[in-house]
Amino acid sequence: MEKSFTVTPWKVEGDIDYNRLIKDFGTEPVNDEILQRIKKHAGELHHFLRRKIFFSHRDLNWILDEYEKGNKFYLYTGRGPSGNTHIGHLVPWIFTKWLQDKFDAELWFQMTDDEKYLFNERLELEEVNKLAYENALDVIALGFRQGKTFIFSDIDYAKTLYRQSLRVARKLTVSTAKAVFGFNDSNNVGQLFFTSVQSVPSFLPSVLKGKNVPCLIPHAIDQDAHFRVTRDIAPKLGYYKPASIHCRFLPPLTGPGGKMSASVAETAIYTTDAPEIAERKIRRYAFSGGRDTIDEHRRKGGNPDIDVSYQWLTFFEESDEKLRNIYDDYKTGALLTGELKQILIEKLSAFLKKHQENREKARKVLDKFIIRD
Ligand code: TYM
């Protein structure tokens, strides 16, 4: 029997079969051939690529073809500011920063405060708008380049965005929106319109620069539905289809499957959690692939493939060698669950400490990254 799971921009549930998503969504796998092409230009491969955490794409070969012809691409990604940023959100952004450095690309970063207002009855306009700027600190803290990175709230950049959203909305029928997003008559009308706004940065620099510029969108696979719509409409407006590269989800602490969700506090670690809080959450909640007793674990070994601490290390431990040793030691039983958690705790604490320092520094330069109209 096929396992059931759901992956939409607003709901991710169940045991996700990523290969099946490639088939269902009609994307292409990130294969060794394309990795070699990226390596040729970047000089190396990010561990997210080496481990196929970025596992799927659309039109990445075309992006590289254009790049090789001297037609440089820009990057576009975003965040729906519904609360604090969690470390899962950082996954596409860390990779985007790497792409910015390696390909000297501009980044256009959309804060969809409008989306969060429309989709979450509990959040008020002032709140989502404020969160957009709080979340922007997490983006800046990752080291994106000033002058090449443009962050905007949909609400505060509305004059520019609205004009272009109208052009998209006119080409989008209600029946397409229903089919792609699963909307029905009980959805509010703003929700149907919203995807038009998320489409716009896929071609906005082409409008502003007066010439078509290729766009590459790194994101987790949940956002793909939006860009399926965009890819259909952009050529009708005279622009390139945006290319994209998709990552898997950092699983929730209570794992092993699904995606870390910002609304379930104990399953997530937020970028603003003090290292001690992160430590407590990992010790208390991290789903373990270990055996019931130490004795049994030593004899039979643990299962790293379902162990969330190990899964998280595949995202946060950059050294392939260290990771392989951890895998082997856990599988043979030489490494206990408590010890594995300790490795993760040390890795994440160091990351959080640095990130939080950078986040505070980012407050001083926030205005240099924000565009509004
Ligand atoms: P949002 O705020 O839900 O998520 C922000 C980004 O994080 C990705 N993501 C994850 N990646 C790895 N592991 C996880 N557990 C995890 N959870 C979320 C999301 O795929 C996303 O890339 N509507 C969007 C904001 C947006 C956007 C964009 C995102 C506007 N334009 C262009 C990507 C690209 C949203 O609410 O994202």
Side-chain angles (χ1 to χ4, degrees):
M1 205 182 84
E2 282 196 339
K3 285 185 189 158
S4 79
F5 60 89
T6 310
V7 175
T8 76
W10 301 288
K11 191 168 163 193
V12 175
E13 251 177 30
D15 189 6
I16 302 156
D17 177 344
Y18 288 100
N19 288 327
R20 218 182 88 199
L21 282 180
I22 290 178
K23 286 206 194 84
D24 291 356
F25 289 179
T27 66
E28 291 174 64
V30 166
N31 58 23
D32 294 336
E33 201 182 317
I34 202 152
L35 289 182
Q36 285 320 308
R37 276 194 89 181
I38 297 172
K39 191 173 175 183
K40 197 174 93 195
H41 297 292
E44 57 173 11
L45 286 176
H46 194 278
H47 67 282
F48 289 169
L49 289 172
R50 298 199 301 274
R51 296 176 196 160
K52 307 249 172 96
I53 284 174
F54 276 82
F55 70 104
S56 152
H57 72 94
R58 293 183 188 275
D59 273 346
L60 195 51
N61 275 305
W62 167 74
I63 282 284
L64 293 168
D65 290 344
E66 291 300 310
Y67 184 79
E68 285 166 8
K69 285 189 241 161
N71 192 14
K72 280 170 62 174
F73 59 90
Y74 72 94
L75 297 157
Y76 158 40
T77 196
R79 159 82 178 132
S82 54
N84 288 332
T85 301
H86 66 53
I87 58 171
H89 300 129
L90 299 184
V91 172
W93 307 349
I94 289 169
F95 184 59
T96 302
K97 151 83 167 85
W98 183 83
L99 289 171
Q100 176 172 73
D101 288 346
K102 296 296 177 186
F103 292 88
D104 188 31
E106 278 185 1
L107 167 63
W108 289 69
F109 195 105
Q110 179 176 45
M111 290 290 177
T112 54
D113 38 11
D114 54 345
E115 174 191 15
K116 291 296 138 173
Y117 178 71
L118 289 166
F119 282 84
N120 195 326
E121 296 277 328
R122 285 176 298 107
L123 293 170
E124 292 309 321
L125 269 174
E126 294 68 29
E127 235 175 318
V128 287
N129 186 238
K130 192 163 162 261
L131 280 167
Y133 294 98
E134 271 300 307
N135 288 184
L137 299 175
D138 289 300
V139 177
I140 297 167
L142 294 175
F144 286 101
R145 297 227 293 276
Q146 202 174 303
K148 274 200 166 264
T149 305
F150 312 102
I151 306 175
F152 50 92
S153 124
D154 284 349
I155 294 172
D156 294 334
Y157 196 43
K159 193 171 162 200
T160 302
L161 294 175
Y162 186 61
R163 268 173 183 261
Q164 303 307 326
S165 309
L166 288 176
R167 301 175 69 205
V168 178
R170 193 160 79 167
K171 300 264 182 245
L172 175 63
T173 63
V174 174
S175 66
T176 300
K178 282 183 170 175
V180 175
F181 297 102
F183 292 145
N184 57 45
D185 287 353
S186 67
N187 282 93
N188 69 53
V189 294
Q191 292 175 341
L192 267 87
F193 177 80
F194 167 72
T195 192
S196 317
V197 186
Q198 184 153 331
S199 273
V200 170
S202 312
F203 62 84
L204 184 63
S206 297
V207 176
L208 299 177
K209 291 178 210 279
K211 69 171 178 114
N212 282 355
V213 193
C215 169
L216 173 62
I217 316 174
H219 59 88
I221 191 74
D222 59 339
Q223 298 293 315
D224 182 63
H226 288 294
F227 304 116
R228 290 204 289 278
V229 171
T230 310
R231 284 168 59 84
D232 182 41
I233 294 177
K236 296 180 186 160
L237 301 177
Y239 306 113
Y240 294 134
K241 291 181 179 189
S244 50
I245 181 160
H246 316 123
C247 66
R248 298 165 194 271
F249 301 108
L250 183 76
L253 255 187
T254 47
K259 81 158 184 176
M260 180 187 280
S261 164
S263 53
V264 195
E266 62 271 22
T267 72
I269 288 182
Y270 301 93
T271 58
T272 45
D273 279 349
E276 309 79 67
I277 303 276
E279 172 169 2
R280 203 167 64 220
K281 286 184 183 173
I282 292 169
R283 287 212 197 284
R284 190 175 298 174
Y285 298 114
F287 183 86
S288 161
R291 302 283 177 175
D292 289 342
T293 65
I294 291 185
D295 182 51
E296 194 189 354
H297 190 92
R298 291 271 187 229
R299 274 188 293 118
K300 297 186 181 158
N303 183 356
D305 296 314
I306 59 162
D307 187 283
V308 168
S309 301
Y310 177 76
Q311 295 309 317
W312 280 25
L313 283 168
T314 66
F315 287 79
F316 292 103
E317 174 51 67
E318 292 172 25
S319 156
D320 291 344
E321 198 193 333
K322 276 192 196 159
L323 192 68
R324 199 166 37 246
N325 289 338
I326 294 168
Y327 186 92
D328 291 344
D329 289 350
Y330 197 62
K331 215 169 164 73
T332 59
L335 191 69
L336 299 173
T337 296
E339 294 166 335
L340 174 56
K341 287 190 176 189
Q342 188 58 32
I343 297 173
L344 175 66
I345 286 164
E346 279 163 26
K347 193 86 210 167
L348 268 188
S349 299
F351 175 82
L352 286 174
K353 193 166 168 288
K354 184 102 197 58
H355 186 81
Q356 286 162 13
E357 280 165 22
N358 289 340
R359 205 174 175 281
E360 282 316 303
K361 286 188 201 143
R363 286 187 198 279
K364 296 197 191 77
V365 289
L366 180 62
D367 284 350
K368 305 254 180 345
F369 285 86
I370 299 293
I371 49 173
R372 56 174 89 231
D373 59 16

